[in-house]
């Protein structure tokens, strides 16, 4: 069985922020409503995931004792 390894030119955080911006851009193109709200929610979640990833990978984070 062959394993696939992906080489990303951008970091995980960069990809999340880019994805969030794409969701915001798409939401701006459509009128207010459920579809727009869902896109904005996805953008918020991508940004939150980016912040969590940055926090978890920070050097100041200490393991539980």
């Amino acid at each position: 069985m062959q394993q696939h390894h992906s080489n990303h030119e951008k970091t995980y955080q960069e990809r999340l922020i880019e994805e969030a911006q794409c969701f915001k851009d798409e939401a701006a193109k459509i009128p207010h409503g459920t579809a727009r709200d869902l896109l904005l929610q996805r953008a918020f979640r991508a940004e939150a995931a980016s912040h969590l990833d940055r926090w978890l990978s920070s050097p100041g984070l200490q393991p539980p004792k």
Side-chain angles (χ1 to χ4, degrees):
M1 187 176 257
Q2 198 176 39
Q3 291 184 355
H4 296 280
H5 297 281
S6 58
N7 293 327
H8 296 286
E9 293 179 13
K10 296 179 182 177
T11 66
Y12 181 60
Q13 287 179 14
E14 290 172 332
R15 292 191 314 270
L16 284 170
I17 294 298
E18 188 175 281
E19 182 177 85
Q21 188 59 51
C22 287
F23 288 138
K24 287 179 183 181
D25 292 345
E26 288 300 311
K29 295 176 187 177
I30 61 176
H32 293 278
T34 305
R36 185 172 192 255
D37 290 343
L38 289 174
L39 284 169
L40 292 174
Q41 187 177 56
R42 290 179 77 181
F44 174 79
R45 288 181 179 169
E47 288 175 338
S50 172
H51 293 302
L52 282 172
D53 183 63
R54 185 173 356 138
W55 176 70
L56 289 171
S57 61
S58 70
L61 186 63
Q62 298 294 317
K65 295 180 181 180

